[in-house]
Amino acid sequence: MQTESKEPVTQKRFIDLFEKNRAFLSANDTPGLNVTRVKAMASFAKLGFPDTSMESWRLTSLEESFERGYDYHLQPMEEVDVQKVFRCNIPHLDTAVIGQLNGWYVSKDVPLMELGNGIIMGSLAEARKKYPQLIEKYFGTIADDTNDGFTALNTAFTQDGVFIYVPDNVKSPKPVQLINVIHHDENLFLQSRNLIIVGSNAMLSLVHCDDSYNHQASFSNVVTEVHLGEHGAMDHYKLQNLNNNSTLISSVFFRMAASASLDSHYLSLNGGLLRNNIRVLFNGPNGNASIYGLYLMDRKQHVDNNLFIDHAYPGCTSSETFKGILDEHARAIFNGHVLVRRDAAKTDARQSNKNILLTDTARVNSKPFLEIYNDDVKCSHGSTTGQLDQESMFYLRQRGIGEETARMLLMFAFADEIVARIAIPQLRQRIEDMVKKRLQGELQICEQCVLHCSTPEHPIEFQIDLGKI
Amino acid sequence: MLLQIKNLHAGIHGKEILRGVNLDVDKGEIHAIMGPNGTGKSTLASVIAGREVFDVTAGEILYKGKDLKKLSIEDRAREGIFLGFQYPVEIPGVSITNFMRTAVNEVRKFKGLDPLPGGEFLRLMEEKKRLVEITSNLTNRSVNEGFSGGEKKKNEIFQMAMLEPMLAILDETDSGLDIDALRIVANGVNKLRRPDNAFVVITHYQRLLDYIVPDFVHVLFEGRIVKSGGKELALELEEKGYDWIKKEQK
Amino acid sequence: MESEANNILEEVTQGDYKYGFVTDIETEYAPVGLSEDTIRYISTKKNEPGFMLEFRLKAYRHWLTMVQPKWAHLNIDPINFQEIIFYAAPKKKKELTSIDEVDPELLATFNKLGISLDEQKKLAGVAGVAVDAVIDSVSVKTTFSETLSKHGIIFCSFSEAVQNHPELVKQYMGSVVPYTDNYFAALNSAVFSDGSFCFIPKGVRCPMELSTYFRINAANTGQFERTLIVAEEGAYVSYMEGCTAPQRDENQLHAAIVEIIAMKDAEVKYSTVQNWYPGDKNGLGGIYNFVTKRGICKGNNSKISWTQVETGSSITWKYPSCILLGDHSVGEFYSVAVTNNYQQADTGTKMMHLGKNTRSTIISKGISAGKSNNSYRGLVRISKNAINSRNYSQCDSLLLGAKCGAHTWPYIQVDNKSSIVEHEATTSKISEDQLFYCQQRGISAESAIGLIVNGYAKEVLKQLPMEFAMEAQKLLSISLEGSVG
């Protein structure tokens, strides 16, 4: 009853599923949370799934993905060798690792860790039981589900995901690494919901990896809500290395209080169809958000980065820097929307999208859109699409560097502007390595961005219950 | 003969720039090519290096007795042809160290040599840096990015020192240099001079030739070498200016 | 400093429309509203051949199946098409054979506009500009026709072309903008009353600037004109279009079509100074300007260049476009759009690269003041076969005052690897430093704004033919400065 077998994705399927399992889904809801859930379902019933008749989905058709058909589970049921799934590649970086398998939190004994400094992290399902007030205060208030069907559906079906709470004035001592591995023997539709609260003057560094373990098709609808308190800071990385049969709709919503600061990175290395919805709301003055994106796509891969930055308060600075290299039949779409509201004086907003096309069958659509209602602003956008610079190619070859090597060097240099922004040195090295491999066509989809390794000198135990999964 | 250019005609987008150039360069020689702006000096350098935007419509270039036509840009470089650019391009994101290591090792591979071990390579870098009085750390800097005019030219000579070419063509390496930089650049060239290599120095002014003394001076005018002589020709040009050549041609 | 700037902006927003007079001319109207009967009335009135009526009716029937587009960044009050008069013409007493026979009121109208219909009087001391004057829906006078016909150039009203050159009209009309293209194009195709027609034969360089002057005079009237320019192989023409309308409290509809065809090696330069009545400072009245302008570079090495200075209309919806079909063909778009008070503009261009080695340039300068909204919307599409193509776009917005909006919507699509597309945009205001600098040199803040705005728009203004550039500069000042006009 709680499992749906391989069926196409339709609005009706999920409406029916919700009706049938209403009690089960909301078993642990507070009354407030239940209202949010029911409202979201009403939204989804109204909105349905987006299609290409909508401006923001004009160039990304989900039809083929939907028709593949997927299983949907209302509870975790995998059995897997966790040591194989969560492998280690990079030693010497001490991170706090959180694992997710198919969107479900995996833990050993403690589904929710409470660290000495007041930081709480672990399963959202568990947090809902243990900290209902805290969850109710933030959950569903950052992600707007009134005009996006996927977000509405995610809210309505919220069960598990990751919860991180960094209290006021606490700086997370080491980066938190959230690894979501997709591994199933059937086509799988999965949803997960993350809630991250960074208090005033608090700081969090989060590495969020989406990895595939095999070539089975999957469809993920992941919503992440992030609240940054006054003077709060976050360094955020999203690394996507999924198989070519996977569809990922990732929506990340940031709400930034006064003087909050955000660096958010989207590194798309592989994936069938990737859609990144990135929403930033400046909810107080003097905030600062820098969003970086790098996408390296080939075959028939499709990546669609859709940004909306809402300058609702004065004195905020935002930048969008997205770069991509497209090979074979790949397609990239960039939609960067910056809204400067009437009161948002002294806004400084920049958008940049640069693309390199390696073949005549690769395609790029770029729409860096500025909407401005205040005159005291500095806004600019730029977009270029072309091939590798011919002057540079000549220069490199004149020094005896072969054409292929020269091309590789220039492509890597092009990508480096984004990679160089990664503030965690070990992660930067790891990504550099992955980008190199990717450009040389040697990156495996099962190669994960796992950073945290167990070595004899540094024994580390995964917080994962081997017996359970 | 190291380089033989015979009746070379070349142009770009159907416009002829070189209209029958003849030039012989032998080992151990330094040639200076002078001439007014827009007469084809840089085109000649680019065509020798194999730049693809130029079309060779007639004539041939023999290098070590072999026709260059069939060689790619990088193979010409690996055979020992070095072009010092008038306007070196900036390549953001490619560090000089990485760039040079790649170049040196690809050239070595071409010659059947093993790649240079890391330590040895760095030692070589330091040694050659001293030659052109580069003091800054190049490891963290991208190729030519944010360099001053003088730094760019010194970097060209540094790369020449690293690659040890047989034939170095220096395209207006003196333009935009102050007197100190000019001395450093010229000094680098003189130290690299050997009986088995050759230099072609393209310049607009006689000034550089006070430091790099040429064996031959050629005047390129309207796509042809119209006058050749010894180093005294450069002085004569300095004195009389290019109008003299122009008049003589008309 | 701040407050002075505010004062100026306030004055600026009170700039008056100096072309707001109404001329008392006897006018003949079509019955109010739109139906097949209206269309038959227009066609009969114009004594048109059968193919024209057929074209109109097809367009009308198609229009009935369409809805008004909503995608533009505009607030448009619903248009009641049954309240509009679709055809108004100055009443003709007899055929005109010379300037002396033109209604003196009409002549005075154009004189007030600074347009001379007298061939003896030459504009701005320049060699000569042939003018086709269109008032409400009808071409009233075309000058220099005879001089031009010596070169084989046909320059006349669209109605005359229908009568005298039906084969050319039949061949080219609707070939660039089909009646199915969009809502307003379909409407125009059904009811258009007149406009200009221009044909430059093979190898001919048109010896003078050609110009059409449009004026909406009658009340409750829509103007639907249609311009068709054909440049045969190796031909060249520079064409100018100007427009004004009286001040009226209600909105008036203007839905025009311009089609340009450039054959091999031909070049067409099309310049517009659009100064329809923009409404008053409270946003009352003004022209709804919904225009479809498109050119096709059909032959190799052909070139179409659009230059526009948009200061008028309460709503502007207009995207002069180029279809670059021929190899090595070139498309250009230069635009200055000024909006003030409650004006709304959604304008830009489309560059469709289909041929190899095609090139396009887009320079757009938006200036918003008052409570206006000014949007640039541009599409650059490089198709798979358009190898080695290039586009460069630059879109700048200048905001004057804190209540206006400036928006930039570039759509860029590249489908091959050998092409290069570059887009740049900036949004800024006039800096205090610039103002201070000018003032320190003794220039009043008001003139300083005029200076800076003109400097800002210079890249575009310099593309205009000389006699137009002067007018455009004046217009920019009038639109933005309080003391003038």
Side-chain angles (χ1 to χ4, degrees), chain A residues 391 395 397 399-400 402 405, chain B residues 51 74 77-78 106 156 159:
Chain A
E391 287 279 312
Y395 193 86
R397 292 174 69 193
R399 296 299 184 251
T405 314
Chain B
R51 185 160 216 162
E74 55 268 34
R78 291 162 182 173
E106 292 219 356
E156 293 292 291
Q159 291 176 34

Side-chain angles (χ1 to χ4, degrees), chain B residues 64-81:
Chain B
K64 296 193 225 169
K66 279 185 289 185
D67 190 349
L68 277 183
K69 204 186 296 168
K70 291 175 217 82
L71 289 190
S72 66
I73 300 164
E74 55 268 34
D75 281 350
R76 294 179 198 213
R78 291 162 182 173
E79 288 281 6
I81 296 176

Side-chain angles (χ1 to χ4, degrees), chain C residues 54-93:
Chain C
E54 216 172 285
F55 178 83
R56 289 173 183 281
L57 289 173
K58 262 197 242 164
Y60 175 68
R61 286 165 197 153
H62 187 77
W63 179 75
L64 290 175
T65 68
M66 301 172 93
V67 288
Q68 199 173 322
K70 293 235 160 44
W71 44 261
H73 191 78
L74 301 169
N75 286 318
I76 306 174
D77 288 338
I79 302 169
N80 186 345
F81 291 96
Q82 298 313 329
E83 283 175 3
I84 295 172
I85 298 167
F86 283 85
Y87 180 79
K91 209 175 257 178
K92 246 185 234 178
K93 294 191 173 94

Side-chain angles (χ1 to χ4, degrees), chain A residues 27-41:
Chain A
N28 292 314
D29 285 0
T30 58
L33 210 80
N34 196 250
V35 170
T36 306
R37 190 188 291 279
V38 170
K39 267 193 188 159
M41 197 57 212

Side-chain angles (χ1 to χ4, degrees), chain C residues 235-264:
Chain C
Y236 167 86
V237 64
S238 167
Y239 191 95
M240 310 186 291
E241 171 205 304
C243 4
T244 57
Q247 278 173 282
R248 296 192 189 279
D249 287 348
E250 79 279 11
N251 296 110
Q252 281 178 286
L253 180 62
H254 171 251
I257 288 179
V258 175
E259 293 180 283
I260 299 176
I261 294 118
M263 309 305 277
K264 185 166 173 277

Side-chain angles (χ1 to χ4, degrees), chain A residues 406-426:
Chain A
R407 202 185 297 281
M408 210 53 80
L409 263 176
L410 289 181
M411 284 197 289
F412 187 74
F414 177 81
D416 191 58
E417 189 191 342
I418 306 297
V419 178
R421 300 290 181 164
I422 298 174
I424 307 167
Q426 293 90 335

